[in-house]
Amino acid sequence: MGTFSWTHLLIIALLFVLLFGAKRLPDAARGLGRSLRIFKSEVGQMQSESATPTTNPAQDATPAPPQQLSASAAQPQTPIAEPQQGQKKL
């Protein structure tokens, strides 16, 4: 009780074929295999990154000093056009 016998698995397989069609099942299986492969490689990369020693966390937490803008960078590059006669100012 609680385990699947071969007849249960056969009935489930037949239901999948009836629901999704025989032509779409191989494509779905390929897509699932690719997704699992990508997921496995990403998990492996995350584990390898967490295994490598990092630099001092206190150094990473300090903010970088703000950069000062030069006088030419602070001013707009294009002049603002004055409204002509008959136009309203915004």
Side-chain angles (χ1 to χ4, degrees), residues 11 15 17 22 39 46 49 52 54 68 71 80:
I11 292 171
L15 285 173
V17 170
F39 178 74
M46 287 175 53
E49 286 176 2
T52 58
T54 60
Q68 294 182 356
I80 300 173

Side-chain angles (χ1 to χ4, degrees), residues 49-62:
E49 286 176 2
S50 66
T52 58
T54 60
T55 59
N56 187 0
Q59 277 184 334
D60 295 338
T62 57

Side-chain angles (χ1 to χ4, degrees), residues 1-87:
M1 305 232 167
T3 61
F4 289 110
S5 68
W6 68 273
T7 56
H8 292 120
L9 296 175
L10 182 64
I11 292 171
I12 291 172
L14 286 173
L15 285 173
F16 271 105
V17 170
L18 287 174
L19 287 174
F20 298 109
K23 292 182 180 180
R24 295 180 79 182
L25 285 178
D27 292 334
R30 255 184 246 112
L32 181 64
R34 285 184 194 135
S35 299
L36 288 174
R37 226 176 296 128
I38 292 169
F39 178 74
K40 187 177 178 180
S41 69
E42 291 295 326
V43 168
Q45 285 179 355
M46 287 175 53
Q47 288 176 347
S48 67
E49 286 176 2
S50 66
T52 58
T54 60
T55 59
N56 187 0
Q59 277 184 334
D60 295 338
T62 57
Q67 296 178 352
Q68 294 182 356
L69 296 176
S70 65
S72 63
Q75 296 175 353
Q77 299 296 325
T78 56
I80 300 173
E82 293 291 324
Q84 297 175 357
Q85 272 186 331
Q87 291 182 342

